[in-house]
Amino acid sequence: GVLAALVAVLSLALLMTGGVISGEKDGPRAFSRPDTAGGVSLEREWSNRIAAGGAQAAYEEFLHQYAREAPNEQHTYAHRFGSALYESAGLEGVTVCDQHFNLGCYHEFLGLAIQEGGLEVVALLNEACLTKLNANALGCQHGIGHGVQAYLGYGEKELVAALEVCDGLHAQPRVGGCLGGAFMEYNLQTVLGTEGTYR
C-alpha cells in the first residue's frame, strides 16, 4: 500500500543522499534559481533560440552543445534552459524536457510553473505529463515532486504536505515519480541552487 511505497521512496532518497532526514529547518524558503556566472545571459541566449527555432529544436541543440560537460555542470545548465523554456513557452513547454542531465530542465521548469501557479497547476501539469509522455512520464512527475516541495518549503510538516499532494496524483509510479522528487528535494534542495543545503 501507500505506507510500503513511502518506506521504499524514503529508502531510495536516503541512499541517494547518504544521510538521514533531520529536524525542521527555519521554515519555508523562497524559490530561487541556481546562481552561476553568466546565468542570466545564458537564459537570454536560449530564450532567443527558442523564439527563433522552436522549443524542441532549441532543446536538442542545447543537449548537443553541453554533451561533453561534467555532469554537475550539465545539470546546472539544464536548470538554466528550463528557466528559459518556462519564460518563453509557459506551461505549454512541459513536454520538452526529458531525463537528460539528471532531469535539470524538469526541475527548473516545473519549479517555476508551480511557484507561479501554486498547487492549483499541479494536476494540470501531471495530466500533461501523462497525456503527452505516456510511459515516459516518470521524469516529468519526478520534477513535479521537486516543484511541490520547493513551493511548500523544507520543514517536516511541509514534506508531509508535499507527499499528500503527490499521493493524490493518479497513474504515477510510486517510487521515483512525484513522491521520489519530493523526498529528493527535501533532502538535496536542488531547486534552491546555491542557496540550498544538504540534509
Short mmCIF file of all heavy atoms in Angstrom, two decimals, residues 105-155:
data_model
loop_
_atom_site.label_atom_id
_atom_site.label_comp_id
_atom_site.label_asym_id
_atom_site.label_seq_id
_atom_site.Cartn_x
_atom_site.Cartn_y
_atom_site.Cartn_z
N CYS A 105 16.34 20.20 -16.44
CA CYS A 105 15.35 21.00 -17.15
C CYS A 105 13.99 20.88 -16.48
O CYS A 105 13.30 21.89 -16.24
CB CYS A 105 15.28 20.56 -18.61
SG CYS A 105 14.08 21.46 -19.62
N TYR A 106 13.58 19.65 -16.15
CA TYR A 106 12.31 19.45 -15.45
C TYR A 106 12.30 20.15 -14.09
O TYR A 106 11.32 20.78 -13.70
CB TYR A 106 12.05 17.96 -15.21
CG TYR A 106 11.40 17.23 -16.34
CD1 TYR A 106 11.89 15.99 -16.77
CD2 TYR A 106 10.27 17.72 -16.97
CE1 TYR A 106 11.29 15.29 -17.79
CE2 TYR A 106 9.66 17.02 -18.01
CZ TYR A 106 10.18 15.81 -18.40
OH TYR A 106 9.57 15.11 -19.41
N HIS A 107 13.40 20.00 -13.35
CA HIS A 107 13.46 20.60 -12.01
C HIS A 107 13.14 22.09 -12.07
O HIS A 107 12.32 22.60 -11.31
CB HIS A 107 14.85 20.41 -11.39
CG HIS A 107 15.16 19.01 -11.01
ND1 HIS A 107 16.40 18.64 -10.54
CD2 HIS A 107 14.44 17.87 -11.04
CE1 HIS A 107 16.41 17.34 -10.29
NE2 HIS A 107 15.23 16.86 -10.58
N GLU A 108 13.81 22.79 -12.98
CA GLU A 108 13.64 24.24 -13.05
C GLU A 108 12.29 24.62 -13.65
O GLU A 108 11.59 25.47 -13.11
CB GLU A 108 14.76 24.85 -13.89
CG GLU A 108 14.76 26.36 -13.88
CD GLU A 108 15.22 26.97 -12.57
OE1 GLU A 108 15.72 26.24 -11.70
OE2 GLU A 108 15.04 28.18 -12.40
N PHE A 109 11.93 24.00 -14.77
CA PHE A 109 10.68 24.34 -15.45
C PHE A 109 9.49 24.13 -14.52
O PHE A 109 8.66 25.03 -14.34
CB PHE A 109 10.51 23.48 -16.71
CG PHE A 109 9.25 23.78 -17.46
CD1 PHE A 109 9.26 24.70 -18.49
CD2 PHE A 109 8.05 23.16 -17.13
CE1 PHE A 109 8.08 25.01 -19.17
CE2 PHE A 109 6.88 23.46 -17.79
CZ PHE A 109 6.90 24.38 -18.83
N LEU A 110 9.41 22.96 -13.91
CA LEU A 110 8.26 22.66 -13.06
C LEU A 110 8.30 23.45 -11.76
O LEU A 110 7.25 23.84 -11.24
CB LEU A 110 8.19 21.15 -12.80
CG LEU A 110 7.87 20.34 -14.07
CD1 LEU A 110 8.21 18.87 -13.89
CD2 LEU A 110 6.42 20.52 -14.47
N GLY A 111 9.51 23.70 -11.25
CA GLY A 111 9.62 24.55 -10.06
C GLY A 111 9.06 25.94 -10.31
O GLY A 111 8.31 26.48 -9.50
N LEU A 112 9.41 26.51 -11.46
CA LEU A 112 8.90 27.84 -11.81
C LEU A 112 7.39 27.81 -12.04
O LEU A 112 6.67 28.71 -11.59
CB LEU A 112 9.60 28.36 -13.06
CG LEU A 112 11.03 28.85 -12.89
CD1 LEU A 112 11.69 29.08 -14.24
CD2 LEU A 112 11.08 30.12 -12.05
N ALA A 113 6.93 26.78 -12.72
CA ALA A 113 5.49 26.69 -13.01
C ALA A 113 4.67 26.60 -11.73
O ALA A 113 3.64 27.27 -11.59
CB ALA A 113 5.22 25.47 -13.90
N ILE A 114 5.13 25.80 -10.78
CA ILE A 114 4.40 25.63 -9.52
C ILE A 114 4.56 26.86 -8.65
O ILE A 114 3.62 27.28 -7.97
CB ILE A 114 4.83 24.33 -8.82
CG1 ILE A 114 4.41 23.13 -9.67
CG2 ILE A 114 4.23 24.24 -7.42
CD1 ILE A 114 5.01 21.81 -9.25
N GLN A 115 5.75 27.47 -8.66
CA GLN A 115 5.95 28.69 -7.88
C GLN A 115 4.99 29.79 -8.34
O GLN A 115 4.42 30.50 -7.54
CB GLN A 115 7.40 29.17 -8.01
CG GLN A 115 7.72 30.40 -7.19
CD GLN A 115 7.62 30.16 -5.69
OE1 GLN A 115 7.76 29.04 -5.23
NE2 GLN A 115 7.37 31.20 -4.93
N GLU A 116 4.82 29.90 -9.65
CA GLU A 116 3.95 30.96 -10.19
C GLU A 116 2.47 30.59 -10.10
O GLU A 116 1.64 31.43 -9.77
CB GLU A 116 4.32 31.23 -11.65
CG GLU A 116 3.55 32.38 -12.25
CD GLU A 116 4.09 32.77 -13.62
OE1 GLU A 116 5.19 33.33 -13.66
OE2 GLU A 116 3.41 32.49 -14.62
N GLY A 117 2.14 29.33 -10.39
CA GLY A 117 0.74 28.93 -10.45
C GLY A 117 0.19 28.33 -9.18
O GLY A 117 -1.01 28.15 -9.04
N GLY A 118 1.06 27.99 -8.25
CA GLY A 118 0.62 27.38 -7.00
C GLY A 118 0.21 25.92 -7.18
O GLY A 118 0.35 25.35 -8.26
N LEU A 119 -0.29 25.33 -6.13
CA LEU A 119 -0.66 23.92 -6.17
C LEU A 119 -1.81 23.65 -7.14
O LEU A 119 -2.02 22.50 -7.54
CB LEU A 119 -1.03 23.43 -4.76
CG LEU A 119 0.12 23.49 -3.74
CD1 LEU A 119 -0.37 22.98 -2.38
CD2 LEU A 119 1.32 22.69 -4.21
N GLU A 120 -2.52 24.71 -7.55
CA GLU A 120 -3.64 24.55 -8.47
C GLU A 120 -3.18 24.02 -9.83
O GLU A 120 -3.96 23.40 -10.55
CB GLU A 120 -4.38 25.88 -8.67
CG GLU A 120 -5.09 26.40 -7.46
CD GLU A 120 -4.16 27.03 -6.43
OE1 GLU A 120 -3.04 27.45 -6.80
OE2 GLU A 120 -4.53 27.08 -5.25
N VAL A 121 -1.92 24.27 -10.21
CA VAL A 121 -1.45 23.82 -11.53
C VAL A 121 -0.87 22.41 -11.50
O VAL A 121 -0.58 21.83 -12.54
CB VAL A 121 -0.41 24.79 -12.14
CG1 VAL A 121 -0.97 26.18 -12.25
CG2 VAL A 121 0.89 24.77 -11.37
N VAL A 122 -0.72 21.82 -10.32
CA VAL A 122 -0.06 20.52 -10.20
C VAL A 122 -0.83 19.44 -10.97
O VAL A 122 -0.24 18.67 -11.74
CB VAL A 122 0.13 20.12 -8.73
CG1 VAL A 122 0.59 18.68 -8.60
CG2 VAL A 122 1.14 21.05 -8.06
N ALA A 123 -2.14 19.38 -10.80
CA ALA A 123 -2.93 18.37 -11.50
C ALA A 123 -2.86 18.57 -13.01
O ALA A 123 -2.77 17.60 -13.77
CB ALA A 123 -4.38 18.39 -11.02
N LEU A 124 -2.90 19.81 -13.44
CA LEU A 124 -2.79 20.13 -14.86
C LEU A 124 -1.45 19.67 -15.43
O LEU A 124 -1.39 19.06 -16.50
CB LEU A 124 -2.97 21.63 -15.07
CG LEU A 124 -2.84 22.15 -16.50
CD1 LEU A 124 -3.99 21.64 -17.36
CD2 LEU A 124 -2.82 23.67 -16.50
N LEU A 125 -0.38 19.96 -14.71
CA LEU A 125 0.95 19.53 -15.15
C LEU A 125 1.04 18.00 -15.20
O LEU A 125 1.60 17.42 -16.14
CB LEU A 125 2.02 20.09 -14.21
CG LEU A 125 2.24 21.60 -14.26
CD1 LEU A 125 3.11 22.05 -13.09
CD2 LEU A 125 2.86 22.01 -15.58
N ASN A 126 0.49 17.35 -14.18
CA ASN A 126 0.52 15.89 -14.15
C ASN A 126 -0.23 15.29 -15.33
O ASN A 126 0.23 14.33 -15.96
CB ASN A 126 -0.06 15.38 -12.83
CG ASN A 126 0.11 13.88 -12.67
OD1 ASN A 126 1.21 13.37 -12.69
ND2 ASN A 126 -1.02 13.18 -12.53
N GLU A 127 -1.39 15.86 -15.65
CA GLU A 127 -2.16 15.37 -16.80
C GLU A 127 -1.39 15.55 -18.09
O GLU A 127 -1.42 14.70 -18.98
CB GLU A 127 -3.52 16.06 -16.87
CG GLU A 127 -4.51 15.59 -15.82
CD GLU A 127 -4.71 14.08 -15.83
OE1 GLU A 127 -4.93 13.50 -16.92
OE2 GLU A 127 -4.65 13.47 -14.75
N ALA A 128 -0.69 16.68 -18.21
CA ALA A 128 0.12 16.92 -19.40
C ALA A 128 1.24 15.89 -19.49
O ALA A 128 1.54 15.37 -20.57
CB ALA A 128 0.69 18.33 -19.39
N CYS A 129 1.85 15.59 -18.36
CA CYS A 129 2.90 14.55 -18.32
C CYS A 129 2.36 13.23 -18.85
O CYS A 129 2.97 12.57 -19.68
CB CYS A 129 3.41 14.34 -16.90
SG CYS A 129 4.35 15.69 -16.18
N LEU A 130 1.20 12.84 -18.33
CA LEU A 130 0.63 11.53 -18.68
C LEU A 130 0.11 11.50 -20.11
O LEU A 130 0.33 10.53 -20.83
CB LEU A 130 -0.50 11.19 -17.71
CG LEU A 130 -0.08 10.94 -16.26
CD1 LEU A 130 -1.30 10.87 -15.36
CD2 LEU A 130 0.75 9.67 -16.15
N THR A 131 -0.57 12.57 -20.53
CA THR A 131 -1.19 12.59 -21.85
C THR A 131 -0.15 12.62 -22.97
O THR A 131 -0.26 11.88 -23.94
CB THR A 131 -2.11 13.82 -21.98
OG1 THR A 131 -3.11 13.73 -20.97
CG2 THR A 131 -2.77 13.86 -23.35
N LYS A 132 0.86 13.46 -22.82
CA LYS A 132 1.81 13.65 -23.90
C LYS A 132 3.01 12.73 -23.83
O LYS A 132 3.66 12.46 -24.83
CB LYS A 132 2.26 15.11 -23.94
CG LYS A 132 1.11 16.06 -24.26
CD LYS A 132 1.57 17.49 -24.36
CE LYS A 132 0.38 18.39 -24.69
NZ LYS A 132 0.76 19.80 -24.79
N LEU A 133 3.34 12.25 -22.62
CA LEU A 133 4.54 11.43 -22.47
C LEU A 133 4.25 9.96 -22.22
O LEU A 133 5.13 9.14 -22.32
CB LEU A 133 5.41 12.00 -21.34
CG LEU A 133 5.89 13.43 -21.56
CD1 LEU A 133 6.60 13.95 -20.32
CD2 LEU A 133 6.82 13.51 -22.77
N ASN A 134 3.04 9.64 -21.84
CA ASN A 134 2.62 8.25 -21.58
C ASN A 134 3.61 7.52 -20.68
O ASN A 134 3.82 7.92 -19.56
CB ASN A 134 2.43 7.51 -22.91
CG ASN A 134 1.36 8.13 -23.76
OD1 ASN A 134 0.28 8.42 -23.27
ND2 ASN A 134 1.66 8.37 -25.03
N ALA A 135 4.25 6.47 -21.20
CA ALA A 135 5.15 5.66 -20.40
C ALA A 135 6.42 6.39 -20.00
O ALA A 135 7.15 5.95 -19.13
CB ALA A 135 5.51 4.38 -21.16
N ASN A 136 6.71 7.54 -20.64
CA ASN A 136 7.91 8.30 -20.32
C ASN A 136 7.64 9.45 -19.35
O ASN A 136 8.41 10.39 -19.27
CB ASN A 136 8.51 8.86 -21.62
CG ASN A 136 8.92 7.77 -22.57
OD1 ASN A 136 9.52 6.79 -22.16
ND2 ASN A 136 8.59 7.91 -23.83
N ALA A 137 6.55 9.37 -18.60
CA ALA A 137 6.15 10.46 -17.72
C ALA A 137 6.90 10.49 -16.39
O ALA A 137 6.79 11.46 -15.65
CB ALA A 137 4.64 10.38 -17.44
N LEU A 138 7.69 9.47 -16.09
CA LEU A 138 8.35 9.37 -14.78
C LEU A 138 9.17 10.62 -14.45
O LEU A 138 9.03 11.21 -13.38
CB LEU A 138 9.25 8.14 -14.73
CG LEU A 138 10.05 7.95 -13.44
CD1 LEU A 138 9.13 7.64 -12.28
CD2 LEU A 138 11.09 6.86 -13.60
N GLY A 139 10.06 11.05 -15.35
CA GLY A 139 10.91 12.21 -15.08
C GLY A 139 10.11 13.48 -14.89
O GLY A 139 10.43 14.32 -14.04
N CYS A 140 9.05 13.64 -15.66
CA CYS A 140 8.17 14.80 -15.54
C CYS A 140 7.49 14.82 -14.18
O CYS A 140 7.47 15.84 -13.48
CB CYS A 140 7.15 14.76 -16.68
SG CYS A 140 6.10 16.23 -16.82
N GLN A 141 6.96 13.69 -13.76
CA GLN A 141 6.30 13.61 -12.46
C GLN A 141 7.30 13.77 -11.32
O GLN A 141 6.98 14.35 -10.28
CB GLN A 141 5.53 12.30 -12.34
CG GLN A 141 4.36 12.25 -13.29
CD GLN A 141 3.64 10.92 -13.24
OE1 GLN A 141 4.27 9.86 -13.22
NE2 GLN A 141 2.33 10.96 -13.23
N HIS A 142 8.52 13.28 -11.52
CA HIS A 142 9.58 13.47 -10.53
C HIS A 142 9.84 14.97 -10.35
O HIS A 142 9.98 15.46 -9.22
CB HIS A 142 10.84 12.74 -11.02
CG HIS A 142 12.01 12.88 -10.12
ND1 HIS A 142 12.22 12.04 -9.05
CD2 HIS A 142 13.05 13.76 -10.12
CE1 HIS A 142 13.35 12.39 -8.44
NE2 HIS A 142 13.87 13.44 -9.07
N GLY A 143 9.88 15.71 -11.46
CA GLY A 143 10.07 17.15 -11.40
C GLY A 143 8.93 17.85 -10.68
O GLY A 143 9.14 18.86 -9.98
N ILE A 144 7.72 17.35 -10.84
CA ILE A 144 6.58 17.92 -10.12
C ILE A 144 6.82 17.80 -8.61
O ILE A 144 6.57 18.73 -7.85
CB ILE A 144 5.26 17.23 -10.52
CG1 ILE A 144 4.88 17.63 -11.95
CG2 ILE A 144 4.14 17.58 -9.54
CD1 ILE A 144 3.68 16.87 -12.51
N GLY A 145 7.32 16.65 -8.18
CA GLY A 145 7.62 16.47 -6.76
C GLY A 145 8.61 17.49 -6.24
O GLY A 145 8.44 18.05 -5.15
N HIS A 146 9.66 17.74 -7.04
CA HIS A 146 10.63 18.77 -6.66
C HIS A 146 9.94 20.12 -6.53
O HIS A 146 10.15 20.86 -5.56
CB HIS A 146 11.73 18.88 -7.73
CG HIS A 146 12.82 17.89 -7.58
ND1 HIS A 146 13.95 18.12 -6.83
CD2 HIS A 146 12.98 16.65 -8.11
CE1 HIS A 146 14.77 17.09 -6.90
NE2 HIS A 146 14.20 16.17 -7.66
N GLY A 147 9.13 20.46 -7.52
CA GLY A 147 8.47 21.76 -7.53
C GLY A 147 7.50 21.94 -6.37
O GLY A 147 7.44 23.02 -5.76
N VAL A 148 6.75 20.90 -6.05
CA VAL A 148 5.80 20.97 -4.94
C VAL A 148 6.54 21.18 -3.63
O VAL A 148 6.16 22.04 -2.81
CB VAL A 148 4.92 19.70 -4.89
CG1 VAL A 148 4.14 19.62 -3.58
CG2 VAL A 148 3.97 19.65 -6.08
N GLN A 149 7.61 20.41 -3.41
CA GLN A 149 8.35 20.55 -2.16
C GLN A 149 8.98 21.92 -2.03
O GLN A 149 8.93 22.55 -0.97
CB GLN A 149 9.44 19.47 -2.06
CG GLN A 149 10.08 19.40 -0.68
CD GLN A 149 9.11 18.95 0.38
OE1 GLN A 149 8.60 17.84 0.33
NE2 GLN A 149 8.82 19.81 1.35
N ALA A 150 9.58 22.43 -3.12
CA ALA A 150 10.18 23.76 -3.08
C ALA A 150 9.13 24.83 -2.82
O ALA A 150 9.38 25.80 -2.09
CB ALA A 150 10.91 24.05 -4.39
N TYR A 151 7.95 24.66 -3.39
CA TYR A 151 6.86 25.62 -3.20
C TYR A 151 6.39 25.65 -1.74
O TYR A 151 6.17 26.72 -1.17
CB TYR A 151 5.69 25.27 -4.12
CG TYR A 151 4.49 26.15 -3.95
CD1 TYR A 151 4.43 27.41 -4.53
CD2 TYR A 151 3.39 25.72 -3.21
CE1 TYR A 151 3.32 28.23 -4.38
CE2 TYR A 151 2.28 26.52 -3.04
CZ TYR A 151 2.24 27.77 -3.62
OH TYR A 151 1.14 28.58 -3.47
N LEU A 152 6.26 24.47 -1.14
CA LEU A 152 5.73 24.38 0.22
C LEU A 152 6.77 24.73 1.27
O LEU A 152 6.42 25.23 2.34
CB LEU A 152 5.18 22.97 0.48
CG LEU A 152 3.93 22.59 -0.30
CD1 LEU A 152 3.60 21.12 -0.10
CD2 LEU A 152 2.75 23.47 0.11
N GLY A 153 8.04 24.45 1.02
CA GLY A 153 9.09 24.70 2.00
C GLY A 153 9.77 23.42 2.40
O GLY A 153 9.46 22.33 1.90
N TYR A 154 10.70 23.51 3.36
CA TYR A 154 11.60 22.39 3.64
C TYR A 154 11.53 21.86 5.07
O TYR A 154 12.43 21.19 5.53
CB TYR A 154 13.03 22.81 3.29
CG TYR A 154 13.20 23.01 1.80
CD1 TYR A 154 13.01 24.27 1.23
CD2 TYR A 154 13.50 21.95 0.98
CE1 TYR A 154 13.13 24.47 -0.13
CE2 TYR A 154 13.63 22.14 -0.39
CZ TYR A 154 13.45 23.39 -0.94
OH TYR A 154 13.57 23.57 -2.30
N GLY A 155 10.45 22.15 5.78
CA GLY A 155 10.27 21.57 7.10
C GLY A 155 9.61 20.20 7.00
O GLY A 155 9.13 19.79 5.94
#
